[in-house]
PDB file of all heavy atoms in Angstrom:
ATOM      1  N   HIS M1180       0.838  -1.205   0.000  1.00 92.00           N
ATOM      2  CA  HIS M1180       0.000   0.000   0.000  1.00 92.00           C
ATOM      3  C   HIS M1180       0.874   1.257   0.000  1.00 92.00           C
ATOM      4  O   HIS M1180       0.590   2.240  -0.694  1.00 92.00           O
ATOM      5  CB  HIS M1180      -0.906   0.013   1.225  1.00 92.00           C
ATOM      6  CG  HIS M1180      -1.918  -1.078   1.249  1.00 92.00           C
ATOM      7  ND1 HIS M1180      -3.085  -1.019   0.519  1.00 92.00           N
ATOM      8  CD2 HIS M1180      -1.942  -2.259   1.906  1.00 92.00           C
ATOM      9  CE1 HIS M1180      -3.786  -2.117   0.730  1.00 92.00           C
ATOM     10  NE2 HIS M1180      -3.113  -2.882   1.571  1.00 92.00           N
ATOM     11  N   GLU M1181       1.922   1.228   0.781  1.00 90.00           N
ATOM     12  CA  GLU M1181       2.849   2.346   0.858  1.00 90.00           C
ATOM     13  C   GLU M1181       3.478   2.613  -0.510  1.00 90.00           C
ATOM     14  O   GLU M1181       3.553   3.754  -0.970  1.00 90.00           O
ATOM     15  CB  GLU M1181       3.927   2.024   1.886  1.00 90.00           C
ATOM     16  CG  GLU M1181       4.905   3.133   2.185  1.00 90.00           C
ATOM     17  CD  GLU M1181       5.857   2.712   3.297  1.00 90.00           C
ATOM     18  OE1 GLU M1181       6.584   1.715   3.104  1.00 90.00           O
ATOM     19  OE2 GLU M1181       5.865   3.371   4.345  1.00 90.00           O
ATOM     20  N   MET M1182       3.928   1.555  -1.155  1.00 93.00           N
ATOM     21  CA  MET M1182       4.547   1.685  -2.468  1.00 93.00           C
ATOM     22  C   MET M1182       3.556   2.227  -3.496  1.00 93.00           C
ATOM     23  O   MET M1182       3.909   3.094  -4.313  1.00 93.00           O
ATOM     24  CB  MET M1182       5.083   0.329  -2.916  1.00 93.00           C
ATOM     25  CG  MET M1182       6.231  -0.196  -2.065  1.00 93.00           C
ATOM     26  SD  MET M1182       6.645  -1.930  -2.448  1.00 93.00           S
ATOM     27  CE  MET M1182       7.045  -1.803  -4.201  1.00 93.00           C
ATOM     28  N   ALA M1183       2.332   1.736  -3.441  1.00 92.00           N
ATOM     29  CA  ALA M1183       1.316   2.184  -4.401  1.00 92.00           C
ATOM     30  C   ALA M1183       1.004   3.661  -4.214  1.00 92.00           C
ATOM     31  O   ALA M1183       0.816   4.405  -5.187  1.00 92.00           O
ATOM     32  CB  ALA M1183       0.047   1.346  -4.249  1.00 92.00           C
ATOM     33  N   GLY M1184       0.934   4.120  -2.956  1.00 91.00           N
ATOM     34  CA  GLY M1184       0.647   5.522  -2.691  1.00 91.00           C
ATOM     35  C   GLY M1184       1.741   6.435  -3.200  1.00 91.00           C
ATOM     36  O   GLY M1184       1.472   7.493  -3.785  1.00 91.00           O
ATOM     37  N   ILE M1185       3.002   6.035  -2.987  1.00 91.00           N
ATOM     38  CA  ILE M1185       4.130   6.842  -3.449  1.00 91.00           C
ATOM     39  C   ILE M1185       4.164   6.893  -4.970  1.00 91.00           C
ATOM     40  O   ILE M1185       4.350   7.960  -5.570  1.00 91.00           O
ATOM     41  CB  ILE M1185       5.447   6.278  -2.894  1.00 91.00           C
ATOM     42  CG1 ILE M1185       5.490   6.459  -1.372  1.00 91.00           C
ATOM     43  CG2 ILE M1185       6.645   6.964  -3.542  1.00 91.00           C
ATOM     44  CD1 ILE M1185       6.631   5.733  -0.702  1.00 91.00           C
ATOM     45  N   LYS M1186       3.987   5.753  -5.606  1.00 91.00           N
ATOM     46  CA  LYS M1186       3.997   5.699  -7.064  1.00 91.00           C
ATOM     47  C   LYS M1186       2.876   6.534  -7.647  1.00 91.00           C
ATOM     48  O   LYS M1186       3.044   7.243  -8.648  1.00 91.00           O
ATOM     49  CB  LYS M1186       3.877   4.244  -7.526  1.00 91.00           C
ATOM     50  CG  LYS M1186       3.917   4.067  -9.044  1.00 91.00           C
ATOM     51  CD  LYS M1186       5.240   4.529  -9.632  1.00 91.00           C
ATOM     52  CE  LYS M1186       5.294   4.294 -11.136  1.00 91.00           C
ATOM     53  NZ  LYS M1186       6.565   4.795 -11.729  1.00 91.00           N
ATOM     54  N   ASP M1187       1.712   6.482  -7.020  1.00 91.00           N
ATOM     55  CA  ASP M1187       0.563   7.246  -7.492  1.00 91.00           C
ATOM     56  C   ASP M1187       0.840   8.745  -7.393  1.00 91.00           C
ATOM     57  O   ASP M1187       0.429   9.522  -8.260  1.00 91.00           O
ATOM     58  CB  ASP M1187      -0.674   6.881  -6.663  1.00 91.00           C
ATOM     59  CG  ASP M1187      -1.930   7.580  -7.145  1.00 91.00           C
ATOM     60  OD1 ASP M1187      -2.278   7.433  -8.326  1.00 91.00           O
ATOM     61  OD2 ASP M1187      -2.567   8.283  -6.333  1.00 91.00           O
ATOM     62  N   ALA M1188       1.539   9.162  -6.334  1.00 91.00           N
ATOM     63  CA  ALA M1188       1.823  10.582  -6.144  1.00 91.00           C
ATOM     64  C   ALA M1188       2.858  11.098  -7.127  1.00 91.00           C
ATOM     65  O   ALA M1188       2.729  12.195  -7.675  1.00 91.00           O
ATOM     66  CB  ALA M1188       2.301  10.830  -4.715  1.00 91.00           C
ATOM     67  N   LEU M1189       3.896  10.305  -7.376  1.00 90.00           N
ATOM     68  CA  LEU M1189       4.984  10.760  -8.236  1.00 90.00           C
ATOM     69  C   LEU M1189       4.672  10.607  -9.718  1.00 90.00           C
ATOM     70  O   LEU M1189       5.256  11.296 -10.546  1.00 90.00           O
ATOM     71  CB  LEU M1189       6.263   9.992  -7.894  1.00 90.00           C
ATOM     72  CG  LEU M1189       6.812  10.221  -6.483  1.00 90.00           C
ATOM     73  CD1 LEU M1189       8.091   9.432  -6.276  1.00 90.00           C
ATOM     74  CD2 LEU M1189       7.059  11.694  -6.220  1.00 90.00           C
ATOM     75  N   GLY M1190       3.753   9.701 -10.053  1.00 90.00           N
ATOM     76  CA  GLY M1190       3.353   9.553 -11.443  1.00 90.00           C
ATOM     77  C   GLY M1190       4.288   8.665 -12.252  1.00 90.00           C
ATOM     78  O   GLY M1190       5.306   8.174 -11.763  1.00 90.00           O
ATOM     79  N   ASN M1191       3.943   8.501 -13.505  1.00 88.00           N
ATOM     80  CA  ASN M1191       4.671   7.572 -14.372  1.00 88.00           C
ATOM     81  C   ASN M1191       5.946   8.156 -14.970  1.00 88.00           C
ATOM     82  O   ASN M1191       6.732   7.436 -15.587  1.00 88.00           O
ATOM     83  CB  ASN M1191       3.757   7.095 -15.501  1.00 88.00           C
ATOM     84  CG  ASN M1191       2.599   6.268 -14.985  1.00 88.00           C
ATOM     85  OD1 ASN M1191       2.739   5.523 -14.020  1.00 88.00           O
ATOM     86  ND2 ASN M1191       1.437   6.416 -15.620  1.00 88.00           N
ATOM     87  N   ASP M1192       6.155   9.469 -14.813  1.00 90.00           N
ATOM     88  CA  ASP M1192       7.341  10.084 -15.388  1.00 90.00           C
ATOM     89  C   ASP M1192       8.576   9.902 -14.515  1.00 90.00           C
ATOM     90  O   ASP M1192       9.684  10.248 -14.933  1.00 90.00           O
ATOM     91  CB  ASP M1192       7.103  11.581 -15.605  1.00 90.00           C
ATOM     92  CG  ASP M1192       6.051  11.848 -16.684  1.00 90.00           C
ATOM     93  OD1 ASP M1192       5.895  10.977 -17.560  1.00 90.00           O
ATOM     94  OD2 ASP M1192       5.410  12.898 -16.635  1.00 90.00           O
ATOM     95  N   VAL M1193       8.376   9.391 -13.293  1.00 92.00           N
ATOM     96  CA  VAL M1193       9.489   9.177 -12.376  1.00 92.00           C
ATOM     97  C   VAL M1193       9.785   7.681 -12.293  1.00 92.00           C
ATOM     98  O   VAL M1193       8.900   6.872 -12.038  1.00 92.00           O
ATOM     99  CB  VAL M1193       9.167   9.713 -10.965  1.00 92.00           C
ATOM    100  CG1 VAL M1193      10.298   9.397  -9.995  1.00 92.00           C
ATOM    101  CG2 VAL M1193       8.925  11.221 -11.027  1.00 92.00           C
ATOM    102  N   GLU M1194      11.033   7.313 -12.511  1.00 92.00           N
ATOM    103  CA  GLU M1194      11.441   5.912 -12.392  1.00 92.00           C
ATOM    104  C   GLU M1194      11.647   5.567 -10.921  1.00 92.00           C
ATOM    105  O   GLU M1194      12.416   6.216 -10.219  1.00 92.00           O
ATOM    106  CB  GLU M1194      12.740   5.681 -13.150  1.00 92.00           C
ATOM    107  CG  GLU M1194      13.288   4.266 -13.021  1.00 92.00           C
ATOM    108  CD  GLU M1194      14.674   4.110 -13.611  1.00 92.00           C
ATOM    109  OE1 GLU M1194      15.053   4.944 -14.461  1.00 92.00           O
ATOM    110  OE2 GLU M1194      15.384   3.170 -13.201  1.00 92.00           O
ATOM    111  N   MET M1195      10.950   4.535 -10.452  1.00 93.00           N
ATOM    112  CA  MET M1195      11.060   4.103  -9.063  1.00 93.00           C
ATOM    113  C   MET M1195      11.892   2.837  -8.952  1.00 93.00           C
ATOM    114  O   MET M1195      11.728   1.901  -9.722  1.00 93.00           O
ATOM    115  CB  MET M1195       9.671   3.824  -8.474  1.00 93.00           C
ATOM    116  CG  MET M1195       8.834   5.069  -8.211  1.00 93.00           C
ATOM    117  SD  MET M1195       9.489   6.095  -6.877  1.00 93.00           S
ATOM    118  CE  MET M1195       9.600   4.926  -5.515  1.00 93.00           C
ATOM    119  N   ASN M1196      12.802   2.818  -7.993  1.00 93.00           N
ATOM    120  CA  ASN M1196      13.542   1.610  -7.637  1.00 93.00           C
ATOM    121  C   ASN M1196      13.322   1.337  -6.153  1.00 93.00           C
ATOM    122  O   ASN M1196      13.033   2.252  -5.371  1.00 93.00           O
ATOM    123  CB  ASN M1196      15.035   1.763  -7.917  1.00 93.00           C
ATOM    124  CG  ASN M1196      15.353   1.765  -9.400  1.00 93.00           C
ATOM    125  OD1 ASN M1196      16.334   2.354  -9.826  1.00 93.00           O
ATOM    126  ND2 ASN M1196      14.539   1.123 -10.225  1.00 93.00           N
ATOM    127  N   TYR M1197      13.467   0.058  -5.752  1.00 95.00           N
ATOM    128  CA  TYR M1197      13.144  -0.336  -4.385  1.00 95.00           C
ATOM    129  C   TYR M1197      14.239  -1.232  -3.810  1.00 95.00           C
ATOM    130  O   TYR M1197      14.768  -2.108  -4.492  1.00 95.00           O
ATOM    131  CB  TYR M1197      11.810  -1.097  -4.347  1.00 95.00           C
ATOM    132  CG  TYR M1197      10.663  -0.372  -5.016  1.00 95.00           C
ATOM    133  CD1 TYR M1197      10.386  -0.590  -6.374  1.00 95.00           C
ATOM    134  CD2 TYR M1197       9.877   0.528  -4.310  1.00 95.00           C
ATOM    135  CE1 TYR M1197       9.341   0.079  -6.998  1.00 95.00           C
ATOM    136  CE2 TYR M1197       8.821   1.199  -4.927  1.00 95.00           C
ATOM    137  CZ  TYR M1197       8.567   0.977  -6.273  1.00 95.00           C
ATOM    138  OH  TYR M1197       7.535   1.640  -6.891  1.00 95.00           O
ATOM    139  N   LEU M1198      14.566  -0.996  -2.549  1.00 96.00           N
ATOM    140  CA  LEU M1198      15.443  -1.875  -1.784  1.00 96.00           C
ATOM    141  C   LEU M1198      14.757  -2.208  -0.464  1.00 96.00           C
ATOM    142  O   LEU M1198      14.242  -1.305   0.212  1.00 96.00           O
ATOM    143  CB  LEU M1198      16.801  -1.214  -1.516  1.00 96.00           C
ATOM    144  CG  LEU M1198      17.733  -1.042  -2.713  1.00 96.00           C
ATOM    145  CD1 LEU M1198      18.966  -0.245  -2.309  1.00 96.00           C
ATOM    146  CD2 LEU M1198      18.137  -2.397  -3.286  1.00 96.00           C
ATOM    147  N   PHE M1199      14.747  -3.497  -0.098  1.00 97.00           N
ATOM    148  CA  PHE M1199      14.047  -3.944   1.105  1.00 97.00           C
ATOM    149  C   PHE M1199      15.054  -4.511   2.111  1.00 97.00           C
ATOM    150  O   PHE M1199      15.818  -5.421   1.784  1.00 97.00           O
ATOM    151  CB  PHE M1199      12.998  -5.002   0.745  1.00 97.00           C
ATOM    152  CG  PHE M1199      11.969  -4.514  -0.247  1.00 97.00           C
ATOM    153  CD1 PHE M1199      12.129  -4.754  -1.607  1.00 97.00           C
ATOM    154  CD2 PHE M1199      10.872  -3.801   0.194  1.00 97.00           C
ATOM    155  CE1 PHE M1199      11.193  -4.292  -2.519  1.00 97.00           C
ATOM    156  CE2 PHE M1199       9.926  -3.333  -0.716  1.00 97.00           C
ATOM    157  CZ  PHE M1199      10.089  -3.579  -2.071  1.00 97.00           C
ATOM    158  N   MET M1200      15.018  -3.990   3.334  1.00 97.00           N
ATOM    159  CA  MET M1200      15.967  -4.421   4.360  1.00 97.00           C
ATOM    160  C   MET M1200      15.525  -5.708   5.057  1.00 97.00           C
ATOM    161  O   MET M1200      16.350  -6.450   5.578  1.00 97.00           O
ATOM    162  CB  MET M1200      16.145  -3.310   5.401  1.00 97.00           C
ATOM    163  CG  MET M1200      16.743  -2.043   4.839  1.00 97.00           C
ATOM    164  SD  MET M1200      16.979  -0.735   6.090  1.00 97.00           S
ATOM    165  CE  MET M1200      18.305  -1.462   7.089  1.00 97.00           C
ATOM    166  N   ASP M1201      14.211  -5.951   5.142  1.00 96.00           N
ATOM    167  CA  ASP M1201      13.672  -7.147   5.792  1.00 96.00           C
ATOM    168  C   ASP M1201      14.108  -7.245   7.257  1.00 96.00           C
ATOM    169  O   ASP M1201      14.402  -8.329   7.775  1.00 96.00           O
ATOM    170  CB  ASP M1201      14.094  -8.402   5.030  1.00 96.00           C
ATOM    171  CG  ASP M1201      13.205  -9.604   5.357  1.00 96.00           C
ATOM    172  OD1 ASP M1201      12.106  -9.400   5.921  1.00 96.00           O
ATOM    173  OD2 ASP M1201      13.618 -10.735   5.067  1.00 96.00           O
ATOM    174  N   ALA M1202      14.135  -6.111   7.945  1.00 95.00           N
ATOM    175  CA  ALA M1202      14.637  -6.073   9.320  1.00 95.00           C
ATOM    176  C   ALA M1202      13.767  -6.845  10.294  1.00 95.00           C
ATOM    177  O   ALA M1202      14.264  -7.322  11.325  1.00 95.00           O
ATOM    178  CB  ALA M1202      14.759  -4.614   9.777  1.00 95.00           C
ATOM    179  N   LYS M1203      12.491  -7.004  10.004  1.00 91.00           N
ATOM    180  CA  LYS M1203      11.616  -7.747  10.909  1.00 91.00           C
ATOM    181  C   LYS M1203      11.995  -9.223  10.960  1.00 91.00           C
ATOM    182  O   LYS M1203      11.798  -9.882  11.983  1.00 91.00           O
ATOM    183  CB  LYS M1203      10.157  -7.608  10.463  1.00 91.00           C
ATOM    184  CG  LYS M1203       9.557  -6.225  10.666  1.00 91.00           C
ATOM    185  CD  LYS M1203       9.383  -5.893  12.137  1.00 91.00           C
ATOM    186  CE  LYS M1203       8.630  -4.586  12.313  1.00 91.00           C
ATOM    187  NZ  LYS M1203       8.515  -4.183  13.736  1.00 91.00           N
ATOM    188  N   GLN M1204      12.528  -9.745   9.858  1.00 93.00           N
ATOM    189  CA  GLN M1204      12.839 -11.164   9.797  1.00 93.00           C
ATOM    190  C   GLN M1204      14.283 -11.470  10.209  1.00 93.00           C
ATOM    191  O   GLN M1204      14.537 -12.452  10.901  1.00 93.00           O
ATOM    192  CB  GLN M1204      12.595 -11.691   8.373  1.00 93.00           C
ATOM    193  CG  GLN M1204      11.132 -11.665   7.952  1.00 93.00           C
ATOM    194  CD  GLN M1204      10.281 -12.595   8.784  1.00 93.00           C
ATOM    195  OE1 GLN M1204      10.705 -13.686   9.146  1.00 93.00           O
ATOM    196  NE2 GLN M1204       9.062 -12.176   9.103  1.00 93.00           N
ATOM    197  N   ILE M1205      15.222 -10.642   9.779  1.00 95.00           N
ATOM    198  CA  ILE M1205      16.627 -10.978   9.996  1.00 95.00           C
ATOM    199  C   ILE M1205      17.285 -10.121  11.069  1.00 95.00           C
ATOM    200  O   ILE M1205      18.448 -10.357  11.416  1.00 95.00           O
ATOM    201  CB  ILE M1205      17.427 -10.869   8.687  1.00 95.00           C
ATOM    202  CG1 ILE M1205      17.443  -9.423   8.169  1.00 95.00           C
ATOM    203  CG2 ILE M1205      16.845 -11.797   7.631  1.00 95.00           C
ATOM    204  CD1 ILE M1205      18.290  -9.244   6.907  1.00 95.00           C
ATOM    205  N   GLY M1206      16.575  -9.136  11.600  1.00 93.00           N
ATOM    206  CA  GLY M1206      17.143  -8.286  12.640  1.00 93.00           C
ATOM    207  C   GLY M1206      17.823  -7.053  12.066  1.00 93.00           C
ATOM    208  O   GLY M1206      18.290  -7.057  10.915  1.00 93.00           O
ATOM    209  N   SER M1207      17.910  -6.007  12.870  1.00 94.00           N
ATOM    210  CA  SER M1207      18.416  -4.716  12.398  1.00 94.00           C
ATOM    211  C   SER M1207      19.882  -4.776  11.979  1.00 94.00           C
ATOM    212  O   SER M1207      20.272  -4.210  10.951  1.00 94.00           O
ATOM    213  CB  SER M1207      18.222  -3.653  13.477  1.00 94.00           C
ATOM    214  OG  SER M1207      16.844  -3.453  13.749  1.00 94.00           O
ATOM    215  N   ASP M1208      20.718  -5.444  12.760  1.00 95.00           N
ATOM    216  CA  ASP M1208      22.152  -5.465  12.464  1.00 95.00           C
ATOM    217  C   ASP M1208      22.457  -6.157  11.140  1.00 95.00           C
ATOM    218  O   ASP M1208      23.223  -5.655  10.313  1.00 95.00           O
ATOM    219  CB  ASP M1208      22.923  -6.151  13.597  1.00 95.00           C
ATOM    220  CG  ASP M1208      22.910  -5.348  14.882  1.00 95.00           C
ATOM    221  OD1 ASP M1208      22.639  -4.129  14.816  1.00 95.00           O
ATOM    222  OD2 ASP M1208      23.166  -5.926  15.950  1.00 95.00           O
ATOM    223  N   GLN M1209      21.849  -7.323  10.929  1.00 97.00           N
ATOM    224  CA  GLN M1209      22.087  -8.049   9.690  1.00 97.00           C
ATOM    225  C   GLN M1209      21.472  -7.315   8.500  1.00 97.00           C
ATOM    226  O   GLN M1209      22.059  -7.283   7.415  1.00 97.00           O
ATOM    227  CB  GLN M1209      21.516  -9.463   9.777  1.00 97.00           C
ATOM    228  CG  GLN M1209      21.864 -10.329   8.559  1.00 97.00           C
ATOM    229  CD  GLN M1209      21.390 -11.771   8.711  1.00 97.00           C
ATOM    230  OE1 GLN M1209      20.994 -12.200   9.783  1.00 97.00           O
ATOM    231  NE2 GLN M1209      21.444 -12.521   7.626  1.00 97.00           N
ATOM    232  N   ALA M1210      20.299  -6.731   8.723  1.00 97.00           N
ATOM    233  CA  ALA M1210      19.656  -5.977   7.647  1.00 97.00           C
ATOM    234  C   ALA M1210      20.526  -4.801   7.219  1.00 97.00           C
ATOM    235  O   ALA M1210      20.653  -4.505   6.024  1.00 97.00           O
ATOM    236  CB  ALA M1210      18.285  -5.483   8.104  1.00 97.00           C
TER     237      ALA M1210
END
């Protein structure tokens, strides 16, 4: 939902890239 809201706001003229830390699963230090 967060990603969809940001993409909707910035529109199709902006190229979006994503990086996911997954801190909930692997912990903050490893992430």
Side-chain angles (χ1 to χ4, degrees):
H1180 295 281
E1181 185 176 61
M1182 294 170 59
I1185 293 170
K1186 182 62 178 178
D1187 183 56
L1189 296 181
N1191 295 325
D1192 293 334
V1193 176
E1194 177 188 339
M1195 288 292 305
N1196 289 152
Y1197 307 91
L1198 289 174
F1199 302 95
M1200 297 181 69
D1201 199 16
K1203 290 292 187 184
Q1204 294 295 322
I1205 64 177
S1207 297
D1208 292 341
Q1209 186 175 348

